[in-house]
Amino acid sequence: MSEKVFSARELRLRITDLEYKDLSPEAYKQEVERIYFEETGEALPAEMEVFTTKQSDAISQDSEYKGTAIRFHSEENEIDEVYIVSEGTQGLNDWLYNVEALVAGRSFVQVEEADNFMDEALDHFQYEYDSNKGSYDVPIIGLGHSQAHNTNATAYLVHDKFTNVYGVNGAQLNYYQLFRADPQFEQYLKEKYPILETDRDKIIDLNTDELKQHAINFYKDKAQNIEQDFSKQDPLYGVKDFRGLFSLGKETVHETNANYPGISDMFGKIDDDYLQQLQKIAVIYTKGSEKGDKMHVVDELLGVDTKFFRDFKLHHYATKNFQLLQNVRALDAALPEALEPIYQITDNKESILSELQDAGYISTEQKATLMDSFENIEKEIQAIESLVNDMKVARDQNHEGMILTEVIVDAHSFYKLQGALESLAEELEDFPAEEFEALLDSLGKSHGIGELMESLSNDKRKYVGTELYIKNTKGSKDIWISLSVTGRICGLGKLKLLAKEEKIEKFKNKLESKVYEVFEEQRTRANTAVDYMEANPNLDREFLYPHGFSPSFNRTITRINVHEEIPRFKDTSLDMTEHIHKLNASVEKGHSLIQQYRETVESLFKEEDNIAEQIDFMEGMYING
Amino acid sequence: MDSKTIRITERVFDLEDYSDVKRSLERIREDLIEREHDFIKNFHNLMIDENQKGKVIDHLGESTLEVASQNLNLLLDLEECIEEVIAELTEEVNNMNRFTMSITYTEDKPTP
């Protein structure tokens, strides 16, 4: 292994997890520094540069591929390396890509995007691609979780630019996907299976054990540069030997949740034919989804375009009867093969769902809901099959053409067929995905990096999710403390108190300019007015008008005597000095609290643990970050 | 000519309204509350779980709660205080702009 900065497993896992936090480049760098210090007790040994897909011109902002490139460089420490951290599966679209790429083995869009992003990032860091060597003159290390491992590892096999690839709970390589993505592997397989020269889709009918072995042999030289960590309870680990998938490189399996056995045993009980049908359904689903709504999925499921049936009206019997005959025959011919994988799934629903229930992944109620849904889909498909058969038989028996009563009976069947097609589409639309979501949630934790990190805990260090806690070294009772939280309390706490102080100052200034000064200005204005009126009484004759004196009378005001006593500021309750004082005191209390925390944490550890220095470092990172 | 004196009360300047000042002070107070919450939230997750707490840690938790409660109460009081100060400012200013005064004048016959 060539890397010098993220050389420890824990570091690589935590940096991989960081990709999900969607941080700004500055915050990202700060987190990398923090994690590195927490894990090693030292500051980063090199300068760090970060380039993300958000800054990329090569990757569209709508793209599902997301990643961060980190460059470390230090002449002094002889460090020069680049990490490409690809983001794994998160949203629904990513899971659709999972179905397409990982199960159906069709899409490799993200693989190409990862490669393009790598080129752009390396160019950004001013490295040049050496076309003679076919690589960059710097180690490039790929980190990826879930689907991102498939992306990085596939990019490595196809483009050969990574030096090492590390995966955690990763989706495995897929030889169907590689057949489409890697021209050299495609050529290799075509030489082994000439039928692929004429029909590439025939690959799905080839012997899977043979294909897997070919893939492993073809890429064996790269295996030493791929390393993976797995949670035994991760569902992706459970399906790592699914049709089309194969693993390459060193694997370390961790028991992360002893409450569940993991689903690998369950999949081990399912025979290959069943998995093949499941894969066909995945391909069908993918093709249908690519075209738009669920009616396209129905078309792909049934193997024909049902638009003709959906648009057919009664009066079309007069004008489109021949086309109807052709379409009925086509549908009837296509149905048996098209429905075989669906029946395989629905026939086995009880055993699959029971396995999931027995393993504790779904409840009895959830199983019942899923059973109902599968049964409804099966019922609609059976109805379609039966109606099409009736219509076909009616036509086969009436070579001379149908008489009116037969047309009416046929039209009735046809009307029901249209209804069944609609119902099937609705059933697919209404499929209780939330029941699967609940199942995915329970499996999701084992798929995440946090649970695996927790399994790496020992009697001195413990991970909660991806946060590190260390055990006190003084006192008889075990107390687990997060130094990074302590650093955050001290560093961020002080920054927050500083911000609070600024706000209090702003409040005070506003109070002075908008209350105290305004009061004084108004007071001065009133006093000036009084003085002026008393000094120039005859200028204010308008005061007399509202009191019944006509302007036609000639009056002279000889004296004005204002009786008002204009209040002074100290006579009012406007002064908020005491409140401001209390607010400032609350800031001081905050500082005392921080100090108290710090001293308490320090008191839990022996002096030689250098806890104070570590807290200082963390605190400084937050304050200076 | 006889002089006469009347006593009148007149508004010398228009009424003043300080509700915009109140709003701006209130906004700063709300910012302060937000910062207070941020500050207290910062103290979470120091330890893995509550069961680990011994006397020392319990004391820290209590201190945090006490400081949080005092500071938030102070900011709640501040709302009332802003209300009172702006009400008083408005009243004082509008009162000082209305004078009660004695006017002494002399009167001639109207010109035919």
Side-chain angles (χ1 to χ4, degrees), chain A residues 500 554-556 558 563 589, chain B residues 36 70 100 102 104 106-107:
Chain A
K500 186 176 167 180
N554 186 12
R555 291 183 184 84
T556 304
T558 55
H563 303 299
K589 278 184 197 165
Chain B
E36 198 61 43
Q70 283 173 358
T100 297
S102 299
T104 304
T106 56
E107 190 173 71

Side-chain angles (χ1 to χ4, degrees), chain B residues 42-98:
Chain B
N42 198 33
F43 286 82
H44 288 178
N45 305 325
L46 177 69
M47 285 148 298
I48 291 174
D49 62 53
E50 299 290 307
N51 296 330
Q52 295 183 353
K53 290 184 176 178
K55 274 187 182 170
V56 179
I57 305 292
D58 275 342
H59 177 66
L60 274 182
E62 282 165 19
S63 302
T64 313
L65 280 178
E66 197 183 323
V67 170
S69 147
Q70 283 173 358
N71 290 354
L72 287 170
N73 278 334
L74 183 63
L75 290 167
L76 287 175
D77 289 347
L78 190 62
E79 183 183 19
E80 206 177 316
C81 186
I82 292 170
E83 181 96 35
E84 284 170 7
V85 163
I86 297 302
E88 187 173 355
L89 175 72
T90 312
E91 192 183 337
E92 291 289 359
V93 168
N94 287 326
N95 278 346
M96 69 173 75
N97 288 340
R98 192 186 58 188

